[in-house]
Amino acid sequence: MTRRILSIAALLLAACTGGAPTSREFDGARAFTYLERQVAFGYRIPGSAGHTATAAWLDSLLRQRADTLVVQSWTHVTARGDSLPLRNFIARFNLKATERVLFMAHWDTRPVSDNPSYQGPRTPVPGANDGASGVAVLLGMADALRKLPPKVGVDLLFEDGEDYGIFEKEKNDVLIGARYYAQNLPPGPRPLYAVLFDMVGDKELRLYPEGQSLLAAPEVVELVWTVAKEIGHGDVFIDAPASGPYLIDDHVELQKVGIRAIDVVDFNYGPSNAYWHTPADTLDKVSARSLQVVGDVGMALIRRH
Ligand SMILES: [Zn+2]
């Protein structure tokens, strides 16, 4: 009787996942609580109270989960003369491994709403998706890695100062943490590849290969989208030609120092991207389900080794 129920349950599970083995060691619901917590801290603008509180929270969570936590702290002076206290967190697992992989996300949020089609006040961006979603996925991965240590070396990079300046005019005041990391790599072997998670919480998540990633590291794009398909997430990781623009994002700074880095990003957030870089980037636009899909793929990449 028990066996029969079990086998029916197994069949149902197989049906739900399209017959593919889907790892569920990543807990999307728990990851969503990490997203909510970040939003509750308020804006994570470098130098703000919310930024300071989030840094302390990340530091504490990561110390409990990683084998080693590397904290990079420095002050960045912007073109306008602002002094920003910035911090990167690198949660390292299995330091003895000779092969390593890197996953990354930015934890800061944007001080002004500057979506060109947005007409409202230029208030800061809440960053439920742009900031909190990628961090939530990395934290969920840290939970899974704590429970079952990886065979490959894993670094989870939480970088700061991605979204501070104006992308078109102030190139030195954006992607600051990724640039700092690229110029101050932690000791040990370089990662085989790096995967950036940016804006991966959208309730209507659709991930297409991004142009700059395809140009610089096509084999990593192929690996990630193939693994996603294998575990039954081909409906979200859509294997189609890049339809969006070539994005200037943190992956580019790593590519500049020869790391095979790609961007997993949904650059279609709301109708005509209407929620991106606006006050509408809020909790009601993101979902645990989307974090689950992305976290499953991250963990499946790690468990291949
Ligand atoms: Zn942004």
Side-chain angles (χ1 to χ4, degrees):
M1 187 67 177
T2 311
R3 267 182 80 179
R4 176 131 194 269
I5 290 168
L6 273 178
S7 65
I8 289 169
L11 276 175
L12 281 173
L13 187 66
C16 294
T17 59
T22 298
S23 158
R24 277 288 178 262
E25 60 174 322
F26 181 92
D27 185 340
R30 188 178 167 101
F32 196 77
T33 67
Y34 296 139
L35 187 157
E36 291 174 314
R37 185 72 188 272
Q38 292 170 79
V39 173
F41 281 125
Y43 305 126
R44 284 86 71 205
I45 302 163
S48 69
H51 184 258
T52 306
T54 305
W57 176 72
L58 281 174
D59 189 288
S60 154
L61 280 188
L62 294 172
R63 262 176 222 289
Q64 292 163 34
R65 287 160 178 76
D67 296 338
T68 308
L69 179 65
V70 175
V71 182
Q72 299 179 325
S73 290
W74 73 105
T75 301
H76 175 86
V77 180
T78 68
R80 282 172 279 173
D82 300 338
S83 275
L84 309 179
L86 298 182
R87 231 174 288 188
N88 285 342
F89 299 95
I90 310 162
R92 315 199 78 190
F93 296 83
N94 191 3
L95 271 177
K96 286 183 192 151
T98 51
E99 292 195 330
R100 309 195 65 76
V101 294
L102 173 68
F103 296 87
M104 57 194 284
H106 76 89
W107 67 272
D108 63 304
T109 57
R110 189 159 186 77
V112 289
S113 291
D114 67 344
N115 183 319
S117 63
Y118 166 74
Q119 303 295 328
R122 288 167 67 84
T123 48
V125 175
N129 195 17
D130 194 358
S133 68
V135 168
V137 169
L138 295 193
L139 288 172
M141 290 173 69
D143 285 339
L145 294 170
R146 173 78 184 168
K147 272 191 196 151
L148 180 63
K151 294 200 176 82
V152 70
V154 178
D155 289 335
L156 305 178
L157 167 63
F158 301 74
E159 19 91 9
D160 205 350
E162 187 270 345
D163 227 350
Y164 191 82
I166 301 166
F167 274 80
E168 297 75 27
K169 294 183 206 159
E170 300 169 333
K171 292 188 173 27
N172 209 35
D173 298 336
V174 293
L175 319 178
I176 309 167
R179 194 176 311 118
Y180 189 92
Y181 171 85
Q183 291 165 2
N184 299 276
L185 293 175
R190 284 171 161 237
L192 299 173
Y193 61 78
V195 178
L196 166 63
F197 293 137
D198 196 8
M199 307 200 32
V200 290
D202 187 346
K203 269 183 177 167
E204 289 162 28
L205 191 63
R206 297 283 181 279
L207 297 162
Y208 295 90
E210 180 273 328
Q212 183 58 37
S213 306
L214 279 172
L215 203 63
E219 80 290 359
V220 183
V221 173
E222 190 177 348
L223 169 69
V224 173
W225 265 256
T226 301
V227 165
K229 194 175 180 184
E230 279 170 9
I231 63 167
H233 291 324
D235 55 335
V236 174
F237 281 75
I238 297 161
D239 189 6
S243 54
Y246 284 63
L247 296 182
I248 304 298
D249 206 345
D250 291 315
H251 62 317
V252 174
E253 294 296 338
L254 273 65
Q255 290 172 355
K256 284 181 188 166
V257 297
I259 295 172
R260 318 287 300 172
I262 70 158
D263 197 358
V264 170
V265 58
D266 183 354
F267 198 70
N268 190 14
Y269 186 30
S272 306
N273 207 20
Y275 306 150
W276 173 73
H277 283 193
T278 73
D281 181 3
T282 47
L283 280 179
D284 54 310
K285 316 296 193 314
V286 291
S287 74
R289 163 73 194 157
S290 296
L291 303 183
Q292 181 74 55
V293 167
V294 176
D296 282 347
V297 172
M299 291 314 301
L301 285 162
I302 290 169
R303 300 303 184 202
R304 288 174 68 250
H305 291 267

